[in-house]
């Protein structure tokens, strides 16, 4: 945003102020939005928490000992605290959905490519149109209808590359009444446990759907393989994370990856293989992704939306261990590698599907619990309408005390 610092939490860019607005800032201003300020992010946008050496730590408004999530943790904390009515952020690994889940607000990860992202670049880099592989920009709000309001402003291609005005016409929601929806509900993942508090949130939404007359199923042979989906997502995500690494560091990663056993199918191995990924390897992973996209198209011939967790737990305590690979996530007393929790967010990100994060009650400790509604590609209005209907039935945002 022209005139305000854009640092990405990087101390070396503490004083950087861009000379032009990102395309989404321009669209918001043109629509009459009043911009109140910028919100905090993790270093380089690369964490599930929000803290950096410039602006410090963003706390969860429900419990200051816990994280607000990341990378759009500042956006979610500001909303939940009443700083403003709307926020925007980005989502590559749940960076909109996870903070919304942790802070008790709404967020929407649009279909990949739906909303132009020019200007979502590190400080001092030129704001050029980029064809992002996984990342999107999207809205965050305290009510489902406000997500739709803001998405209508944000949606549309970049005029620099499309040559057209940014307005687009998305398909209408598949249904207007809850009883007409066909929903697949998931609360188990083969690669990570689901905590009791999150499982309860998923079931709360499932019960509301049943009570509203929707057709709800718990299993479908059409669902793409979740274990492979998690592995593919992890490889795609981490293949992009090392693009700016020094050559020596990249070569060390390649050596380590070559030493992996062919039988090692863990997410840790997938992360390492992704970071050492050659272009040839990436093409093969991408081809597998296309098969998953085809599977999702078939699934959404039978269902209108999928309800599932965003992460396995509510907001967790601050953990500033500089070695992210050493961090652990406690799921009901059992520790898991920190980054393994990304597989639920990746379920929608890897194939580029829209996903709406909604509040689904609170944990026994009083922390917010959210779930995501995943929908068919470019049918963003379907999950947004379902979010609106569920808000009317189970309630939505509640302000933290």
């Amino acid at each position: 945003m022209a005139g305000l610092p854009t640092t990405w939490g990087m101390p070396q860019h503490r004083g950087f102020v861009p000379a032009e607005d990102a395309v989404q800032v321009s669209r918001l201003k043109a629509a009459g939005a009043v911009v109140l300020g910028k919100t905090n992010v993790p270093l380089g946008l690369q964490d599930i928490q929000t803290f950096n050496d410039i602006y410090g730590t963003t706390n969860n408004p429900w419990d200051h000992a816990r994280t607000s999530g990341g990378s759009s943790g500042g956006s979610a904390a500001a909303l939940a605290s009443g700083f403003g009515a709307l926020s925007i952020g980005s989502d590559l690994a749940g960076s909109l959905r996870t903070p919304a889940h942790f802070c008790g607000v709404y967020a929407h990860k649009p279909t990949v490519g739906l909303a132009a992202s020019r200007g979502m670049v590190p400080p001092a880099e030129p704001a050029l149109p980029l064809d992002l592989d996984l990342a999107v920009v999207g809205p965050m709000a305290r009510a489902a209808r406000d997500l739709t309001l803001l998405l209508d402003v944000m949606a549309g291609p970049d005029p620099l590359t499309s040559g057209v005005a940014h307005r687009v016409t998305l398909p209408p929601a598949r249904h207007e009444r809850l009883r007409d929806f066909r929903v697949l509900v998931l609360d188990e993942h083969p690669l990570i446990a689901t905590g009791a508090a999150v499982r309860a949130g998923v079931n709360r939404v499932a019960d509301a759907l049943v009570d509203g007359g929707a057709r709800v199923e718990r299993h479908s042979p059409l669902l793409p393989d979740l274990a492979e989906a998690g592995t593919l997502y992890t490889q795609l995500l981490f293949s992009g994370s090392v693009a700016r690494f020094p050559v020596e560091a990249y070569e060390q990663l390649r050596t380590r990856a070559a030493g992996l056993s062919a039988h090692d199918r863990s997410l840790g191995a997938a992360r390492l293989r992704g970071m050492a990924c050659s272009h040839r390897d990436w093409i093969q992973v991408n081809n597998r992704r296309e098969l998953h996209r085809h599977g999702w198209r078939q699934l959404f011939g039978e269902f209108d939306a999928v309800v599932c967790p965003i992460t396995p737990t509510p907001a967790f305590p601050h953990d500033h261990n500089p070695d992210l690979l050493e961090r652990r996530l406690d799921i009901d007393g059992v520790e898991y590698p920190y980054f393994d929790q990304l597989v639920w967010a990746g379920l929608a990100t890897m194939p580029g599907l829209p996903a709406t994060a909604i509040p689904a009650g609170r944990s026994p400790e009083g922390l917010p619990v959210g779930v995501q509604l995943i929908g068919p590609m470019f049918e963003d209005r379907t999950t947004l309408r379902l979010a609106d209907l569920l808000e009317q039935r189970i309630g939505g945002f509640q302000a933290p005390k």
Side-chain angles (χ1 to χ4, degrees):
M1 182 175 174
L4 286 182
T6 295
T7 69
W8 281 34
M10 300 174 177
Q12 67 270 32
H13 295 298
R14 181 186 297 266
F16 177 73
V17 177
E20 62 179 313
D21 287 338
V23 64
Q24 292 301 343
V25 175
S26 299
R27 288 178 179 177
L28 288 167
K29 288 180 176 178
V34 177
V35 180
L36 299 179
K38 300 286 290 290
T39 51
N40 204 18
V41 295
L43 175 66
L45 311 188
Q46 293 187 327
D47 203 345
I48 312 166
Q49 304 174 72
T50 295
F51 65 93
N52 58 67
D53 288 341
I54 304 177
Y55 299 112
T57 299
T58 300
N59 295 326
N60 189 300
W62 292 83
D63 179 350
H64 290 189
R66 296 174 184 266
T67 182
S68 62
S71 60
S72 302
S75 290
L79 270 179
S81 302
F83 288 11
L86 303 166
S87 291
I88 64 172
S90 62
D91 194 312
L92 171 71
S95 287
L96 281 163
R97 291 164 288 163
T98 299
H101 158 44
F102 285 176
C103 294
V105 297
Y106 289 82
H108 182 69
K109 184 198 89 67
T111 298
V112 69
L114 175 61
S117 59
R118 176 165 44 91
M120 192 184 78
V121 290
E125 290 198 8
L128 302 174
L130 294 173
D131 185 13
L132 298 173
D133 179 47
L134 297 169
V136 299
V137 294
M140 192 179 280
R142 287 195 296 267
R145 289 189 179 185
D146 285 346
L147 292 179
T148 301
L149 173 76
L150 194 47
L151 182 66
D152 283 346
V153 173
M154 299 179 72
D158 193 318
L160 291 186
T161 55
S162 66
V164 298
H166 80 268
R167 297 294 180 189
V168 295
T169 302
L170 288 172
R174 289 188 176 187
H175 310 292
E176 289 297 320
R177 302 176 303 181
L178 203 57
R179 65 176 178 267
D180 295 329
F181 276 86
R182 304 163 298 167
V183 182
L184 178 63
V185 174
L186 307 175
D187 63 2
E188 293 184 353
H189 198 288
L191 298 179
I192 197 166
T194 304
V198 169
R199 191 185 302 273
V202 172
N203 288 330
R204 198 173 294 120
V205 171
D207 290 344
L209 289 165
V210 171
D211 291 345
R215 188 191 116 201
V216 175
E217 302 287 346
R218 292 283 185 160
H219 304 279
S220 172
L222 297 174
L223 181 69
D225 182 80
L226 295 184
E228 185 182 41
T231 299
L232 293 175
Y233 168 69
T234 299
Q235 289 179 284
L236 290 166
L237 175 65
F238 282 86
S239 71
S241 69
V242 299
R244 295 179 176 86
F245 276 27
V247 172
E248 297 79 11
Y250 176 65
E251 290 301 328
Q252 290 176 3
L253 289 169
R254 291 186 62 188
T255 300
R256 287 173 54 199
L260 289 170
S261 166
H263 301 293
D264 189 345
R265 314 314 298 174
S266 67
L267 287 172
R271 284 189 283 272
L272 187 53
R273 291 186 180 110
M275 288 189 285
C277 192
S278 69
H279 186 58
R280 182 176 184 274
D281 295 334
W282 188 93
I283 292 294
Q284 292 177 338
V285 174
N286 188 51
N287 287 341
R288 294 298 306 173
R289 168 165 55 183
E290 288 303 326
L291 291 173
H292 275 251
R293 282 179 172 152
H294 182 63
W296 281 106
R297 283 191 289 270
Q298 293 178 307
L299 177 85
F300 285 123
E302 296 292 328
F303 295 95
D304 304 306
V306 173
V307 174
C308 65
I310 298 168
T311 71
T313 69
F316 51 85
H318 297 297
D319 182 353
H320 293 185
N321 186 334
D323 187 343
L324 278 67
L325 296 180
E326 283 187 359
R327 295 181 191 169
R328 292 294 180 265
L329 177 71
D330 184 309
I331 304 178
D332 294 346
V334 180
E335 290 192 343
Y336 290 82
Y338 182 72
F339 280 122
D340 285 11
Q341 65 185 296
L342 297 180
V343 293
W344 279 118
L347 191 60
T349 299
M350 187 268 285
L353 301 172
T356 306
I358 67 169
R362 290 202 292 275
S363 73
E365 295 79 21
L367 297 169
V369 173
V371 304
Q372 61 180 332
L373 316 175
I374 302 175
M377 188 168 277
F378 289 107
E379 294 192 50
D380 296 57
R381 295 195 189 281
T382 292
T383 60
L384 289 168
R385 177 57 178 162
L386 183 56
D388 186 18
L389 292 168
L390 285 166
E391 182 179 10
Q392 296 172 36
R393 183 161 285 269
I394 66 172
F397 169 75
Q398 295 180 357
K401 291 180 172 54

